[in-house]
Amino acid sequence: MSGFDRAFSRRRLLGTGAALAGGLTLGRTARSTAARALAAQEQITLQVYIHANNPLDSVKPLYEAKYPNVKLNYLEQSDMAVFRATLAANGEGTPDLLRPETNDVQDLGKTGVLLDVTDLVEKHKADLAPGKLAECFIPATGTYAGFPAEIGAVGLYYREDLWQEAGVSVPADWTWDDYIEAAKTVKGKTGAASFAFPSSGDNQTALLWTFVMFQLGGSITNADGTEVTLDDDKGIAAMEQVKKIYDADVSLDEPPFEETYFQALVAGQVAGAPLPVGYRGFALEPYVKDEQGGLGQWRVALLPRPAEGAVRVASIGGAALVSTTYTKYPQEVKNFMELALGTMEGATACGEWGVVPTFLPYLATDSWRNARSEPYGDFAFNAVWTEAVNQFPDTWYKQPVFAEALNELGAQMMPMMGGEVEIAAGMRTVGDRVRDLNARYQP
Amino acid sequence: MHGVRGTEHRSARRRPRARTRFARVARHWREYLCIAPFFVLFAVFFAYPIVWAFVLSFQRWDGVTAARWVGFDNYAFVLRDPVTRQVFVNTAIFLLLLVPLGLILPLAFGVILNQPFLRLRGVFRTILFIPVVTSTVVVGIVFRLLFGSANGWLNGLVAQVGLGPYPWLKDASWARVSIVALTTWGRLGFATLIVLGGLQAIDQEIHDAARVDGASAWNVFWRITLPLMRPVMIFLLITSTIGVMTLFSQPYVLTRGGPSNATLTPLLHIYTIGLGGAGGGRIGDASALSFLLSAVMVLVAFVQLWATWGRSAEP
């Protein structure tokens, strides 16, 4: 036996092989464990397509603290045209999260490009406001394409000092006709307006009509957007109500979301207006700073009814949180949706910012009920918004043609207000035009 | 046989020429490489999108799902669409208002700034040019406050003399006036600089000779300056016309096309239906309208060139 043979006997060879194999296996296992640990700690950045100054600002630190390996990059941009351009480029540059209006959710949801979040919504369904849930449900696919964010409830804002000066008060329940009479008195005594109704002939002009239409249970289209219903009896009744408001000459002729409206508001020319809940956070608080603007005197109430049995709340829209099928991080995205909109801490952060979160348990907390804001003095406004959520119906469908329908309606409204066009005929004309447009949105 | 021979003869002649052309290009490959970036960028960012938009004008596409061929349906729809008629009527009105202003005012300011006795000329030129470099969005907000109905600065001003208030942005006619004011204000500086450049290029000796011959200042302007400025004015006419036909940011920031579409321009409408504002998603309709607008613009530019070229060629 040579020295070589002795050194590599069969037993020794087998032993060396086994040792090598064991070492390799252990090494591989150790490597894959380390890789998994590394991957778990991998820094992820979610691109969030959202405008500056929004309720989710307060959620960002909560999320980053809970998920330290995930950073949120708020892009301070919300132009849907730019977002759509990224989709047209097959997802090149498409953000991980965005907060579109619900007509965009419906439009994009039908195409299948939005991330299906049905599992997440179903998990939290019992805690979410039913009226808002419907806005994220895509009838064509039977799935939820977004997680419902805030409720765009509309209430009646008014200044108690001006109303008292005019000798009128807000009753427990009343109609728009009653409100118009009160508004005439307020205007006569104080000169201040009780509506914001711009005669600019655009979608802002149509806003008041959408409020009344919502209260009556009407809609621009049916649930799946295949049929235009804006010129039905409810649509015509809503327009007749708006004409009464216009004829009463108690409105400020300015769009309620622009500088000119706020200018009038701080000058004490606004005694009230039906406006969305967001006005507390991004309109009254920054602008109302002195007695002339009504500091401490602002109140909010449920809307007057347009008819017996109508709800006392309207909708201005409101957003949803969505992602797309292009995201590389679907789980992280869902984690954000859940934290921001499906938990007490997320809802608290959003609620304190000034919107009405969809998360119902939060609306029962003292933190929500006892919220105060300087323009309102000691008035507990959130009790009103909780009741508004309770009345919020799920029949206001925002299908893709929604925005274009409002543009068309706004453009045709002033001749109806001026009496040059009879309301039923005018609404039929708008309805036919919107039917033409709606056909362009059908698959 | 003769014919075949002839063909062979012709192709035999053509081949060396093609080879020569290729050889010429190959010989100058460095030069071609130097100018290639422009052509590559042009092809990628101009030619390709134009061709693609032309294809899209025959398709129904929402920007997300697969596009579907619909033939001339998009063109048929936008042609019968009352809003299309409205945007072209609006454009015609803006052309009538803005193009003359875009010629007369820069000419007037140019002549004033060209006067040798004028002091602080640089300051005036800068003041005139400031609107050109100011953000349209900021300008839009300022102009909205300026033209506001209830508390607008302009209404406050005219109230001092017992006039108004005027519905600057609420009434169709006044809204057009507001758009005209904003557009003219924004473009005056650039057009004036062009005019000033033209005026300063005129040989002073021609003016001196005319004055020696006893021509009045008016005659010098009317019979010498203006005819010599014709190429500059034609340039301004055509660019101003194209500028008006592609008006976008002024109505976008000031009126969003209102009231009742009275200030809706083709480009704003194309943007609204194609990408944003109204929800977007009608990209086929928007593309079809784009090509209709392009056709109209080419037609108008040809008419202008034909009408002015003939005259400028006259002795």
Side-chain angles (χ1 to χ4, degrees), chain A residues 84 88, chain B residues 53 56-57 59-64 74 270 273-275 280-290:
Chain A
R84 279 174 179 275
Chain B
L56 284 174
S57 73
Q59 294 181 328
R60 184 78 57 83
W61 190 46
D62 57 12
V64 183
N74 295 334
I270 287 166
I273 64 174
L275 283 174
R282 285 167 54 197
I283 295 173
D285 291 343
S287 301
L289 188 52
S290 301

Side-chain angles (χ1 to χ4, degrees), chain A residues 79-81 84 87-88 103-104 107-108 111 113 198-202 252-255 258-260 263-264 267 269 400 403-404 407-408 410-411 414 433 436-437 439-443, chain B residues 52 60-65 68 73-74 77 80-83 141 144-145 148-153 169-170 255-256 258-261 271-273 275-282 285:
Chain A
D79 188 342
M80 284 305 287
R84 279 174 179 275
L87 295 180
N103 51 310
D104 289 317
D107 190 14
L108 296 171
T111 68
V113 77
S199 60
S200 44
D202 51 25
L252 180 76
D253 188 0
E254 296 292 354
E258 288 180 12
E259 302 79 16
T260 45
Q263 219 177 9
Q269 296 164 359
E404 211 164 355
N407 283 351
E408 286 298 326
M414 291 320 292
R433 165 83 180 137
D436 256 2
L437 294 172
R440 318 293 294 169
Y441 286 96
Q442 300 307 312
Chain B
W52 190 28
R60 184 78 57 83
W61 190 46
D62 57 12
V64 183
T65 49
R68 179 160 58 90
D73 181 65
N74 295 334
F77 179 79
R80 69 164 193 272
D81 187 354
V83 180
I141 293 170
R144 271 211 301 270
L145 291 170
S149 296
N151 300 286
W153 302 338
L169 303 177
K170 309 288 169 50
T255 58
R256 300 277 164 147
S260 302
N261 295 335
Y271 166 78
T272 307
I273 64 174
L275 283 174
R282 285 167 54 197
D285 291 343

Side-chain angles (χ1 to χ4, degrees), chain A residues 177-235:
Chain A
D177 290 343
D178 300 331
Y179 178 77
I180 291 168
E181 289 309 311
K184 284 181 188 168
T185 310
V186 171
K187 188 168 184 191
K189 294 276 172 56
T190 68
S194 294
F195 288 95
F197 183 57
S199 60
S200 44
D202 51 25
N203 58 356
Q204 300 283 309
T205 307
L207 205 59
L208 204 50
W209 173 85
T210 66
F211 297 165
V212 182
M213 175 81 155
F214 180 99
Q215 288 186 276
L216 290 168
S219 199
I220 301 274
T221 64
N222 62 349
D224 62 3
T226 52
E227 202 181 312
V228 172
T229 54
L230 68 84
D231 54 348
D232 63 10
D233 291 347
K234 289 170 184 166

Side-chain angles (χ1 to χ4, degrees), chain B residues 4-309:
Chain B
V4 173
R5 269 206 308 272
T7 310
E8 279 171 0
H9 181 63
R10 275 201 301 277
S11 59
R13 262 190 328 210
R14 226 179 271 135
R15 250 182 268 123
R17 197 182 296 158
R19 268 206 299 273
T20 313
R21 199 178 298 131
F22 179 76
R24 226 172 19 234
V25 171
R27 201 164 54 242
H28 294 286
W29 69 270
R30 289 179 192 82
E31 289 85 346
Y32 281 108
L33 193 67
C34 285
I35 60 168
F38 165 76
F39 288 100
V40 171
L41 290 176
F42 180 82
V44 173
F45 292 108
F46 289 88
Y48 174 67
I50 289 171
V51 172
W52 190 28
F54 187 65
V55 172
L56 284 174
S57 73
F58 297 99
Q59 294 181 328
R60 184 78 57 83
W61 190 46
D62 57 12
V64 183
T65 49
R68 179 160 58 90
W69 285 98
V70 291
F72 284 93
D73 181 65
N74 295 334
Y75 285 93
F77 179 79
V78 295
L79 280 172
R80 69 164 193 272
D81 187 354
V83 180
T84 306
R85 280 196 293 278
Q86 172 86 57
V87 297
F88 281 106
V89 168
N90 295 343
T91 303
I93 293 170
F94 283 133
L95 280 172
L96 286 174
L97 295 170
L98 279 166
V99 173
L101 280 174
L103 296 178
I104 295 165
L105 287 179
L107 187 63
F109 278 99
V111 168
I112 292 168
L113 287 175
N114 200 37
Q115 296 306 312
F117 58 80
L118 188 72
R119 293 187 185 277
L120 301 173
R121 195 178 307 172
V123 175
F124 289 124
R125 266 205 307 252
T126 309
I127 291 171
L128 268 178
F129 204 71
I130 283 173
V132 182
V133 292
T134 310
S135 154
T136 314
V137 176
V138 174
V139 170
I141 293 170
V142 172
F143 268 70
R144 271 211 301 270
L145 291 170
L146 185 73
F147 289 123
S149 296
N151 300 286
W153 302 338
L154 206 52
N155 273 340
L157 197 69
V158 296
Q160 302 294 317
V161 289
L163 296 173
Y166 298 102
W168 297 108
L169 303 177
K170 309 288 169 50
D171 172 80
S173 304
W174 284 117
R176 286 179 184 135
V177 169
S178 307
I179 298 286
V180 167
L182 175 59
T183 310
T184 305
W185 177 83
R187 291 184 174 173
L188 185 60
F190 180 73
T192 304
L193 279 192
I194 300 279
V195 169
L196 202 53
L199 287 170
Q200 287 171 354
I202 297 173
D203 192 345
Q204 192 57 33
E205 283 182 12
I206 302 172
H207 286 154
D208 293 342
R211 282 197 199 93
V212 168
D213 287 345
S216 65
W218 173 250
N219 273 336
V220 169
F221 173 75
W222 192 248
R223 295 185 183 280
I224 295 174
T225 309
L226 210 50
L228 288 173
M229 285 290 288
R230 193 189 296 276
V232 172
M233 299 312 284
I234 290 172
F235 171 76
L236 277 185
L237 172 72
I238 292 173
T239 53
S240 165
T241 304
I242 292 171
V244 173
M245 295 187 82
T246 55
L247 213 57
F248 175 81
S249 43
Q250 291 84 353
Y252 180 76
V253 296
L254 207 56
T255 58
R256 300 277 164 147
S260 302
N261 295 335
T263 59
L264 189 65
T265 58
L267 239 57
L268 183 54
H269 187 48
I270 287 166
Y271 166 78
T272 307
I273 64 174
L275 283 174
R282 285 167 54 197
I283 295 173
D285 291 343
S287 301
L289 188 52
S290 301
F291 280 93
L292 287 176
L293 175 67
S294 304
V296 173
M297 279 168 64
V298 168
L299 190 69
V300 170
F302 266 120
V303 169
Q304 284 179 333
L305 273 175
W306 172 77
T308 51
W309 201 263

